[in-house]
């Protein structure tokens, strides 16, 4: 008897109750797929996915990816890991375990099921880069024993596992290196610059800039990034990555602060504090591979994305 929905897949999303995981689940559910959301709620929140709870094609499993998981699925998106400095530095040993053991357990599952698996890697693998913008062939400039290393090196070791499972066991892998991303459902206390500035501006507090504000970042809106995830996952088997996904538009921290103040209408001032250890001075993706191999590039400009993000944070108050 033929299946009713030939194109429907059963898809596992680890870290599915997090900021990016929940946006990905929205898209997958919207495409008609069945989704299993796996999260231990260390940084994710049930609020991000509660609008799907009545949907028979959606399921939540509370589980820590540091331990094996036995499910039957057609695809795996591995997004599980604390991703902001305050969260991943809160328990650094757990952070690196989540990156490495989580990758190993999900790769083992993909190997058993013979299914495609996506890894949410990060621009942090480039460390404090000595080339600008960053291309995928660049090996990075990372401090292996610094306070950020639990995340940087955790993600680098996860990439190693993915490519070794691909070469040794033929696992069908897709690896994306995610650059700074923002949008609704960001954790208000995740310590990232966009959420910091917005929450401070809405509360009438001074906006905190670390250093002189000349350091730069590139900000990609969540909807654009998820589109990149889906295109990479649907690409030809030969396209394994790693592929940079991010917005090449570059802004200084001072420029971002001024935009947030303008869009919130806040009268907050800007204050400066010392730059944290190993904080990158520049971060900008070269997205040539994404443009050529995926036909992808971001569409939402910073001002438009900030308006939606600010509206979300206003509703949290």
């Amino acid at each position: 008897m033929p299946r009713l929905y030939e194109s429907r897949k059963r898809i596992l999303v680890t870290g599915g109750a997090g900021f990016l995981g929940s946006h990905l689940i929205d898209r997958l559910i919207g495409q008609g797929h069945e989704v299993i959301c796996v999260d231990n709620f260390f940084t994710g929140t049930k609020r991000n996915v509660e609008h799907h709870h009545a949907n028979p094609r959606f399921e939540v499993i509370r589980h820590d990816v540091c331990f094996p998981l036995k499910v039957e699925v057609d695809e795996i998106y591995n997004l599980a890991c604390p991703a902001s400095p305050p969260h991943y530095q809160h328990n650094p040993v757990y952070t690196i375990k989540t990156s490495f053991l989580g990758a190993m357990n999900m790769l083992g599952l993909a190997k058993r099921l013979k299914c495609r698996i996506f890894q949410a890697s990060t621009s942090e693998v480039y460390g404090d880069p000595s080339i600008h913008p960053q291309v995928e062939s660049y090996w990075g400039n990372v401090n292996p024993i610094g306070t950020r290393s639990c995340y940087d090196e955790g993600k680098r070791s996860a990439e190693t596992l993915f490519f070794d499972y691909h070469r040794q066991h033929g696992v069908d892998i897709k690896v994306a290196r995610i650059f700074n991303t923002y949008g609704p459902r960001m954790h208000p206390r995740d310590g990232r610059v966009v959420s910091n500035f917005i929450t401070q501006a809405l509360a009438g507090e001074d906006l905190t800039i670390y250093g002189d504000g000349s350091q730069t970042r590139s900000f990609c809106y969540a909807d654009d990034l998820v589109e990149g995830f889906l295109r990479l996952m649907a690409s030809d088997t030969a396209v394994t990555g790693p592929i940079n996904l991010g917005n090449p538009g570059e802004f200084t921290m001072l420029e971002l602060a001024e935009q947030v103040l303008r869009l919130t209408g806040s009268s907050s001032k800007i204050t400066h504090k010392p730059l944290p250890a190993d904080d990158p001075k520049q971060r900008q993706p070269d997205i040539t591979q994404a443009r050529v191999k995926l036909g992808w590039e971001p569409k939402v400009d910073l001002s438009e994305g900030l308006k939606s993000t600010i509206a979300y944070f206003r509703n949290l108050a």
Side-chain angles (χ1 to χ4, degrees):
M1 183 176 180
R3 288 178 62 187
L4 181 60
Y5 300 104
E6 293 293 340
S7 62
R8 177 179 290 179
K9 295 177 181 176
R10 195 161 190 245
I11 301 174
L12 172 65
V13 180
T14 71
F19 163 46
L20 291 177
S22 64
H23 284 285
L24 173 61
I25 287 173
D26 287 351
R27 287 292 302 274
L28 295 173
I29 291 288
Q31 291 177 347
H33 299 301
E34 298 176 26
V35 176
I36 300 176
C37 167
V38 167
D39 209 297
N40 68 348
F41 302 104
F42 181 65
T43 57
T45 172
K46 295 177 182 179
R47 181 181 63 245
N48 287 341
V49 292
E50 64 184 0
H51 54 292
H52 294 303
H53 284 181
N55 192 324
R57 290 185 286 107
F58 178 73
E59 180 180 353
V60 177
I61 299 176
R62 182 188 287 267
H63 180 80
D64 187 332
V65 295
C66 290
F67 301 92
L69 177 67
K70 293 184 179 180
V71 293
E72 304 297 319
V73 294
D74 303 304
E75 286 182 352
I76 301 168
Y77 286 84
N78 185 39
L79 277 64
C81 188
S84 67
H87 290 157
Y88 67 63
Q89 291 172 348
H90 172 70
N91 189 338
V93 172
Y94 179 70
T95 295
I96 198 166
K97 285 174 65 177
T98 301
S99 287
F100 185 82
L101 295 176
M104 187 168 65
N105 287 327
M106 292 305 108
L107 283 162
L109 180 61
K111 176 188 172 187
R112 178 177 71 81
L113 298 175
K114 296 181 172 58
C115 73
R116 179 167 289 185
I117 180 170
F118 173 100
Q119 167 66 3
S121 191
T122 173
S123 61
E124 296 292 339
V125 301
Y126 299 122
D128 189 2
S130 57
I131 67 168
H132 190 74
Q134 291 79 61
V135 294
E136 291 88 347
S137 58
Y138 175 54
W139 290 356
N141 177 35
V142 177
N143 176 1
I145 59 170
T147 57
R148 301 170 67 102
S149 305
C150 58
Y151 185 68
D152 302 356
E153 297 288 41
K155 289 291 190 177
R156 285 162 70 94
S157 65
E159 285 196 13
T160 301
L161 271 178
F162 264 72
F163 280 89
D164 283 341
Y165 265 79
H166 174 65
R167 287 184 288 256
Q168 185 172 339
H169 300 298
V171 175
D172 187 359
I173 66 168
K174 303 290 181 180
V175 178
R177 288 179 177 163
I178 302 168
F179 283 69
N180 287 61
T181 306
Y182 70 101
R185 300 181 196 156
M186 294 184 79
H187 196 293
R189 294 179 300 280
D190 68 3
R192 301 186 207 195
V193 65
V194 172
S195 53
N196 276 357
F197 284 174
I198 292 174
T199 54
Q200 287 172 337
L202 293 178
E205 301 170 355
D206 290 345
L207 273 61
T208 306
I209 287 182
Y210 295 94
D212 63 6
S214 63
Q215 67 270 36
T216 65
R217 295 291 186 274
S218 304
F219 301 101
C220 186
Y221 191 62
D223 290 352
D224 281 336
L225 190 77
V226 169
E227 177 65 24
F229 288 2
L230 297 172
R231 292 192 183 207
L232 177 56
M233 198 61 152
S235 64
D236 185 85
T237 304
V239 182
T240 59
I243 285 187
N244 290 337
L245 294 179
N247 194 322
E250 190 177 15
F251 295 87
T252 67
M253 297 300 93
L254 199 55
E255 289 171 331
L256 175 66
E258 289 168 349
Q259 281 222 44
V260 170
L261 289 175
R262 178 175 58 83
L263 292 170
T264 57
S266 174
S267 58
S268 297
K269 307 299 182 185
I270 294 174
T271 60
H272 294 263
K273 290 187 177 181
L275 199 65
D278 302 324
D279 192 57
K281 309 301 185 298
Q282 291 180 305
R283 189 60 65 71
Q284 181 188 20
D286 182 310
I287 62 168
T288 302
Q289 282 204 50
R291 285 188 174 118
V292 172
K293 296 179 178 180
L294 309 180
W296 176 88
E297 61 182 351
K299 306 294 185 185
V300 180
D301 66 35
L302 183 60
S303 179
E304 181 183 348
L306 284 175
K307 289 176 184 176
S308 298
T309 310
I310 289 167
Y312 170 78
F313 279 101
R314 284 192 195 276
N315 288 333
L316 286 181

